[in-house]
Amino acid sequence: MKHDQARGDTRLRRDRRISPGRLSSRLLPHNMPLGRWGRCAASLALLWFPVVLSAAESVDFVRDVAPIFERACLRCHAPGNAQGELSLATIDDLRRLEYLVAGDPESSYLIEVVSASDGERPRMPKEGEPLAAEQVAVLRRWIAAGAVWPEGLVLRPKSRADATWWSLRPLTRCDPPQTAGVPPAWQAHPIDRFLAARLAAAGLAPNPLADRRTLIRRVTYDLTGLPPAPEEVEAFVRDPDPHAYERLVDRLLASPHYGEHWGRHWLDVVRFGESNGYERNFMINDLWPFRDYVIRSLNEDKPFDQFLREHLAGDVLGPDQPDVEIGSAFLVTGPFDDVGNQDPVQAAQIRANTIDEIIRATGEAFLGLTIGCARCHDHKFDPILQTDYYGWYATFSGVRHGSRVVATAAEKQADAERRRPLEARRQHLMQERDSLLQNLLSRGEQNASTYEAHWTRPPVDRQGTEETFPPVTARFIRLVSEGQDTNPENTTNFGIDEFEVWSAEPQPRNVALAAHGGRASGTSRLVEDFPGAYAPELAIDGKTGARFLATGGTLTIEFAAATPLQRVVFSSARGETTPEHPNFVFVGEYRLEISTDGQQWTQVANSHDRQPVNEAWRKHRLRRLAMTDNERDRLAALEQALAQVNQELSALPPLPTVWVGQRVAADAQGPFHVFLGGNPQRRGEPVVPASLSAFVGVVPTYALAEDAPEGDRRKALADWMVHPANPLTPRVLANRLWHYHFGTGIVETPSDFGFMGGRPTHPELLDWLAAQIHEHGWRLKPLHRLIVLSQAYQQASTFREDAARVDGDARLLWRFPPRRLSAEEIRDTLLSVSGRLDLRQGGPGFRLYRYMQDNVATYAPLDHPGPETYRRAVYHHNARASVVDLMSDFDLPDCAFSTPRRAQTITPLQALTLLNHSFTLDMAAALAERVQREAGDDPDAQIQRLFLLCVSRPASEMERTAARRLVDAYGLPALGRVMLNTSELIHVQ
């Protein structure tokens, strides 16, 4: 009886642990209704579970029972995801928690939770369909036969896809098929032969070729992101050479604008952003060399396998070679949380989140696999184990975000030689100064009791420090810092959140208030922190929270008129519960001075009779009080000499730094473990840096020792990714190219080739393209050329209703899919056609916002961007969570995340922005100036030039008539504004 009661209590506790409220619905496919999910699960059950046994058959655990646990239970009850503290990977937890009684199914709690009672759904499994009655019967018979579990057998949850999944299989070698009944031109090009076979199978025929004006505009935007010049269009249209299009393609691929445009695509994929994100979101000013490296590498047609290896291990492959080393900035181009946490548990979680971001970005960019889903448990859809994830965790464990010097060996040596004598001089001066200060402190300690007897008032208080003095009339009062409370040597920076000045009147007034005519002045730490520095509405209004951050060491208040004063109250953390926080830095010593004219100042109070705010200030005072005049002069001379040396050092040109991350050996020290449930505090089985287990037998795998050098781990992973036998890397790369050329990839989810991703519309073509990547030595330009020379790419985009009924999205490419220009292309186009585009390449980016930083960053969009911003949009300093007028309206993605596919929305704001934004109006005026300059004063010539510039074709007779009326009534800039607002301008057919 006592045993039964104890088991009942255990069951009650178990029920609480595995209550429905604790179970997540995150495994449901995105946007899939529960009912549909249930029906899918019921259908798959026929494949998941063993054939029902007859009553006479014995139960074989591996054949009959294990598949039930693997498919229905282990997704929630496995070592890395043991919900309810129950794992079914082994029999241990079933016994420990008394879930079964060998030989007695009716007394086994396991049978109770999977069995239906009174027509209600059983408690387990929580997800998917309940076990069928026959499956429950198998469990009953297994328990009745003694619940035999083979020694050493460990079960794992079965993913929906396994190692035979289509994207994990080796590349297939197939020749382009020959198909009867398709246009002869479609039999000449291998890509067209693959597509023609698929079209014929669907009963579809392709469109005829596009006209030459359409084609040059299409391919020029596609390869360079810019519109063709009217002269280029006319020359191509008139060129009788049958190879004119091939020559055009070769010219565009050789253009430096190719790398700018396709570099922007790749920067989307690798989540390139020039601020750190999260709540602080401060600007990163030295990541732009990575952007330039990407553009340069693409223009040079650097083999992608080398490009990838440099992304993961450029610092290992090319130490002291900046053009190679910068590639490894890929690892730290994502967002990261730099706020920190003094709680070691939270700090470990933040660190785990940082490594997770790198793992996800790497897996999705290069392999098209959502490896991050295996952080807390084995991947539920793809054959990626939790041990795989933490093998990568060990691989990237030594990577930290930050900047470091990236320079050649010669540059480093020359810099060291310039600095060495100055550094030695500084070291000597610092030793002499420190020795003098130590002697002063020793003497000061001998007389400490005498000095301390005069320190009768309490120390300064960040939450409120008060000074009273005999009434004195003044027009100005100022607070002068004699040292920061946290650093006696810093006499400049301090914070004030409130400063009250009370008059010596029968009814005292706070005359510092703006309402009473008070006006404050002073320099803030960053001028842009608070426009107007210490504005009345920010601090001297009785409110806390807004803070003046002084850099000049003073805060001055001017009154409306000369006023008798007698009391001042000031603070930096009034009302705060944690006034010791570093953000609330305050004065440690100070003087209060008054003036009638703002020129001559008289001291009315100071802090010298207050107790020191901390031990550092106590020692500082003792040294100062013990100092003789000669020692004061000697200390001043030493400080002056040190300042001179420091000035000479700072005048030396610094070596360039780049945000490529830092490598911390201590972080990379093993042993490494699986984090159970993704929790760094729960260590599971040990792991070592290794490749993915799903590729065993396909790609030569590796596993390094836990103490392998940090850089060697990343290099090994990169080498494994580009191994000739690895099918995923070239498949994913080929699909990305196809995606950008045709708007949708052969697989519509470019960064997910797993179970939850799309399926290839043309699997044989995808593998053929992947093989071409190998054949051309991983160079991308030959593959671009193959694609854009195909008939499929050159065909018209004409809509056909009969074909659309079969293939509405044109995934089979019976027509070229038209597209709207990207946000960057739209902005670049407005600049280009208006003649204002600045084609300078590389270097720090321009900004279409005003950057303001206190403890957090603010990005305020510019209302009137000037000519300094008229560069290509790829050179914009893209900060996370910033709004960039025009481009944000046209779906510029937030670079907080990888964006393998751009969203394309249609909103009223887009039309309003193109019509009314100051940038558009400026470009319309510039366009009118250009047209007048190039076409002269003839209105018809102006109209034709404007159409050729904007839409690469002459105006029709009807358009010329309408345009002439508009110009006559409102002027040429109005027509330019109309053209910049046409759909034809921002769409490619």
Side-chain angles (χ1 to χ4, degrees):
M1 182 72 174
K2 183 176 181 181
H3 174 75
D4 290 342
Q5 180 64 47
R7 189 171 66 180
D9 292 344
T10 301
R11 289 179 184 173
L12 180 61
R13 290 195 297 272
R14 279 198 302 264
D15 288 346
R16 288 177 181 147
R17 285 196 298 267
I18 58 175
S19 64
R22 293 283 303 279
L23 296 174
S24 170
S25 61
R26 64 184 180 275
L27 297 181
L28 290 177
H30 183 57
N31 291 336
M32 182 179 284
L34 182 59
R36 181 182 173 192
W37 178 244
R39 290 193 297 273
C40 290
S43 300
L44 289 169
L46 297 175
L47 301 175
W48 286 357
F49 296 114
V51 176
V52 178
L53 302 173
S54 68
E57 287 183 275
S58 61
V59 177
D60 180 275
F61 180 84
V62 174
R63 181 192 66 198
D64 308 318
V65 178
I68 298 176
F69 288 160
E70 288 172 339
R71 295 296 189 182
C73 307
L74 280 163
R75 70 178 63 181
C76 299
H77 299 289
N81 186 37
Q83 297 189 27
E85 299 179 15
L86 171 67
S87 168
L88 291 179
T90 66
I91 200 171
D92 297 344
D93 284 353
L94 286 172
R95 290 173 173 164
R96 178 178 61 85
L97 296 174
E98 300 181 10
Y99 269 75
L100 58 80
V101 178
D104 185 1
E106 301 308 319
S107 299
S108 297
Y109 185 60
L110 175 63
I111 298 300
E112 180 182 329
V113 298
V114 299
S115 300
S117 59
D118 300 328
E120 295 183 358
R121 179 189 171 96
R123 279 173 278 180
M124 293 291 162
K126 292 291 184 185
E127 298 177 5
E129 291 294 298
L131 298 188
E134 294 84 356
Q135 295 155 1
V136 176
V138 169
L139 296 180
R140 287 179 181 274
R141 292 176 56 198
W142 172 63
I143 295 172
V148 176
W149 191 302
E151 184 71 26
L153 178 62
V154 178
L155 303 183
R156 287 192 177 276
K158 294 294 185 184
S159 58
R160 300 298 179 82
D162 58 21
T164 65
W165 184 248
W166 72 266
S167 65
L168 307 182
R169 291 198 297 263
L171 296 177
T172 57
R173 300 291 177 174
C174 56
D175 293 326
Q178 293 285 355
T179 306
V182 298
W186 282 65
Q187 297 291 356
H189 194 290
I191 288 177
D192 294 324
R193 286 161 61 183
F194 281 107
L195 296 174
R198 194 74 173 79
L199 285 170
L204 295 171
N207 274 347
L209 291 181
D211 65 80
R212 281 201 165 190
R213 289 186 185 276
T214 299
L215 192 55
I216 186 175
R217 192 169 189 269
R218 176 191 300 169
V219 74
T220 304
Y221 267 117
D222 190 15
L223 294 181
T224 70
L226 292 171
E231 294 72 24
E232 294 170 342
V233 175
E234 296 308 314
F236 178 64
V237 168
R238 294 192 177 98
D239 192 340
D241 187 343
H243 301 292
Y245 179 62
E246 293 179 39
R247 292 204 318 273
L248 169 64
V249 169
D250 291 339
R251 175 174 64 81
L252 294 174
L253 286 172
S255 167
H257 304 315
Y258 158 80
E260 293 173 326
H261 182 54
W262 282 81
R264 181 63 263 174
H265 292 327
W266 185 245
L267 295 174
D268 274 2
V269 173
V270 299
R271 84 276 188 232
F272 172 79
E274 296 176 89
S275 68
N276 76 306
Y278 289 88
E279 59 265 43
R280 291 193 63 217
N281 200 25
F282 70 84
M283 184 175 286
I284 300 171
N285 287 312
D286 55 356
L287 187 51
W288 59 265
F290 176 76
R291 174 248 291 152
D292 287 357
Y293 154 86
V294 168
I295 294 171
R296 183 172 61 252
S297 296
L298 293 177
N299 276 330
E300 294 171 354
D301 206 14
K302 179 181 291 184
F304 191 84
D305 58 342
Q306 180 65 17
F307 190 58
L308 184 156
R309 294 172 79 242
E310 290 173 0
H311 273 45
L312 295 186
D315 54 323
V316 181
L317 298 171
D320 299 330
Q321 299 177 48
D323 286 350
V324 174
E325 191 172 355
I326 286 171
S328 60
F330 157 79
L331 298 168
V332 293
T333 58
F336 78 102
D337 185 353
D338 75 320
V339 173
N341 198 301
Q342 295 183 358
D343 181 351
V345 173
Q346 291 302 315
Q349 189 64 55
I350 291 171
R351 178 62 180 157
N353 294 344
T354 301
I355 300 296
D356 176 72
E357 195 278 334
I358 298 173
I359 292 172
R360 290 173 185 268
T362 302
E364 292 172 16
F366 300 117
L367 297 179
L369 290 178
T370 54
I371 294 171
C373 294
R375 178 181 183 180
C376 302
H377 47 71
D378 290 348
H379 202 300
K380 297 185 179 183
F381 298 99
D382 300 333
I384 303 169
L385 305 180
Q386 198 178 12
T387 50
D388 292 335
Y389 175 92
Y390 285 98
W392 281 30
Y393 192 100
T395 299
F396 295 118
S397 59
V399 177
R400 291 269 178 177
H401 289 70
S403 301
R404 59 184 170 82
V405 169
V406 177
T408 65
E411 288 172 332
K412 292 177 181 178
Q413 181 178 356
D415 181 72
E417 291 174 355
R418 287 194 300 268
R419 294 177 182 277
R420 191 176 294 117
L422 292 174
E423 294 282 6
R425 172 68 174 157
R426 181 170 69 171
Q427 184 66 23
H428 174 74
L429 291 171
M430 289 176 62
Q431 289 175 349
E432 187 174 352
R433 183 196 63 179
D434 292 347
S435 176
L436 174 58
L437 292 175
Q438 184 57 45
N439 290 335
L440 290 173
L441 179 61
S442 298
R443 289 211 314 271
E445 291 285 5
Q446 296 172 7
N447 299 302
S449 57
T450 301
Y451 299 140
E452 290 169 345
H454 298 283
W455 303 340
T456 56
R457 291 198 294 160
V460 295
D461 186 347
R462 292 181 174 189
Q463 293 189 307
T465 295
E466 181 180 27
E467 284 290 352
T468 58
F469 41 85
V472 56
T473 298
R475 180 72 183 273
F476 300 86
I477 191 169
R478 71 182 181 185
L479 172 67
V480 181
S481 172
E482 295 183 350
Q484 202 178 79
D485 60 353
T486 56
N487 180 10
E489 305 301 325
N490 187 336
T491 60
T492 55
N493 295 344
F494 66 92
I496 293 291
D497 67 353
E498 190 69 22
F499 195 91
E500 302 172 359
V501 183
W502 294 91
S503 61
E505 299 172 322
Q507 297 294 326
R509 297 174 298 133
N510 178 10
V511 292
L513 283 174
H516 294 156
R519 188 174 63 182
S521 62
T523 54
S524 63
R525 182 180 54 177
L526 292 178
V527 173
E528 290 187 324
D529 280 358
F530 304 112
Y534 185 65
E537 62 270 24
L538 289 176
I540 47 173
D541 56 359
K543 295 188 296 186
T544 59
R547 306 178 63 248
F548 167 72
L549 303 171
T551 56
T554 63
L555 168 64
T556 302
I557 308 293
E558 179 182 0
F559 311 118
T563 306
L565 313 174
Q566 65 178 1
R567 185 166 70 97
V568 172
V569 182
F570 54 98
S571 58
S572 70
R574 188 172 303 192
E576 297 290 342
T577 57
T578 57
E580 70 282 354
H581 193 282
N583 286 349
F584 303 127
V585 64
F586 196 43
V587 291
E589 296 275 24
Y590 60 85
R591 303 190 308 275
L592 283 172
E593 299 175 341
I594 57 95
S595 174
T596 57
D597 58 4
Q599 301 296 321
Q600 302 296 319
W601 295 89
T602 303
Q603 183 179 146
V604 293
N606 61 49
S607 59
H608 301 167
D609 61 344
R610 291 185 180 274
Q611 297 168 14
V613 69
N614 52 40
E615 182 61 20
W617 265 103
R618 177 182 174 276
K619 293 178 179 179
H620 183 72
R621 282 190 181 181
L622 292 177
R623 286 191 292 263
R624 187 176 60 195
L625 292 168
M627 195 180 301
T628 66
D629 289 342
N630 287 337
E631 289 168 331
R632 184 173 290 104
D633 293 342
R634 178 60 185 153
L635 182 60
L638 288 171
E639 294 287 4
Q640 184 177 3
L642 267 173
Q644 178 63 32
V645 171
N646 288 332
Q647 184 177 359
E648 292 177 26
L649 278 169
S650 62
L652 292 177
L655 288 173
T657 64
V658 183
W659 187 269
V660 293
Q662 298 162 354
R663 311 295 180 251
V664 182
D667 290 340
Q669 291 177 355
F672 294 94
H673 299 265
V674 166
F675 293 162
L676 300 180
N679 184 349
Q681 308 307 314
R682 299 177 61 210
R683 300 287 178 93
E685 60 182 297
V687 295
V688 296
S691 53
L692 300 182
S693 58
F695 288 86
V696 173
V698 177
V699 190
T701 54
Y702 70 89
L704 304 180
E706 67 178 29
D707 60 349
E710 183 273 338
D712 289 357
R713 305 175 196 180
R714 293 181 282 113
K715 181 178 179 296
L717 177 59
D719 290 341
W720 175 82
M721 284 184 174
V722 297
H723 189 280
N726 192 322
L728 261 182
T729 310
R731 272 192 184 118
V732 170
L733 177 58
N735 189 68
R736 289 199 195 280
L737 297 184
W738 193 270
H739 164 80
Y740 290 118
H741 281 301
F742 289 104
T744 305
I746 295 173
V747 178
E748 63 183 338
T749 51
S751 290
D752 188 357
F753 274 36
F755 184 85
M756 296 302 288
R759 306 296 186 267
T761 55
H762 302 79
E764 296 83 5
L765 172 58
L766 180 60
D767 278 13
W768 186 86
L769 291 169
Q772 292 300 303
I773 288 176
H774 284 305
E775 187 170 321
H776 291 286
W778 292 86
R779 297 186 183 276
L780 302 188
K781 288 186 178 182
L783 204 61
H784 286 300
R785 195 174 189 277
L786 267 173
I787 292 172
V788 301
L789 290 180
S790 68
Q791 296 288 300
Y793 182 87
Q794 296 180 62
Q795 68 181 318
S797 61
T798 309
F799 179 80
R800 302 195 333 256
E801 188 173 347
D802 58 335
R805 281 197 294 267
V806 177
D807 179 25
D809 294 332
R811 293 292 304 284
L812 304 184
L813 295 179
W814 53 268
R815 70 165 179 156
F816 180 83
R819 69 177 179 92
R820 192 187 71 198
L821 300 180
S822 69
E824 293 91 340
E825 288 173 306
I826 292 174
R827 185 177 188 275
D828 290 352
T829 294
L830 299 189
L831 287 165
S832 180
V833 300
S834 66
R836 294 300 179 90
L837 181 60
D838 181 349
L839 291 175
R840 283 180 300 130
Q841 296 182 296
F846 66 92
R847 303 173 187 174
L848 291 172
Y849 48 74
R850 184 162 147 277
Y851 177 59
M852 296 169 284
Q853 181 186 346
D854 181 16
N855 188 46
V856 297
T858 303
Y859 300 84
L862 296 179
D863 291 330
H864 298 282
E868 72 281 359
T869 69
Y870 289 173
R871 300 179 65 197
R872 289 202 69 175
V874 70
Y875 297 114
H876 181 248
H877 191 122
N878 277 349
R880 295 180 165 96
S882 64
V883 176
V884 184
D885 277 354
L886 183 68
M887 291 200 290
S888 288
D889 296 331
F890 282 95
D891 305 307
L892 179 73
D894 186 348
C895 43
F897 306 99
S898 171
T899 308
R901 291 186 299 175
R902 290 272 185 114
Q904 191 170 108
T905 63
I906 299 175
T907 69
L909 191 57
Q910 293 166 353
L912 292 170
T913 298
L914 277 183
L915 186 64
N916 297 319
H917 196 281
S918 62
F919 175 74
T920 306
L921 298 178
D922 290 345
M923 293 306 103
L927 176 58
E929 292 174 8
R930 177 184 182 179
V931 167
Q932 183 131 24
R933 184 172 63 251
E934 295 177 357
D937 296 328
D938 180 6
D940 288 333
Q942 292 173 348
I943 291 168
Q944 288 292 16
R945 184 64 179 170
L946 199 153
F947 268 75
L948 290 172
L949 284 168
C950 292
V951 293
S952 302
R953 65 170 178 82
S956 68
E957 183 61 35
M958 183 178 67
E959 289 169 332
R960 283 199 303 272
T961 302
R964 182 65 180 268
R965 286 200 301 267
L966 180 65
V967 171
D968 290 343
Y970 299 103
L972 191 57
L975 179 58
R977 188 179 180 191
V978 168
M979 293 302 296
L980 297 185
N981 279 269
T982 57
S983 293
E984 189 174 355
L985 175 81
I986 64 171
H987 284 82
V988 171
Q989 299 295 324

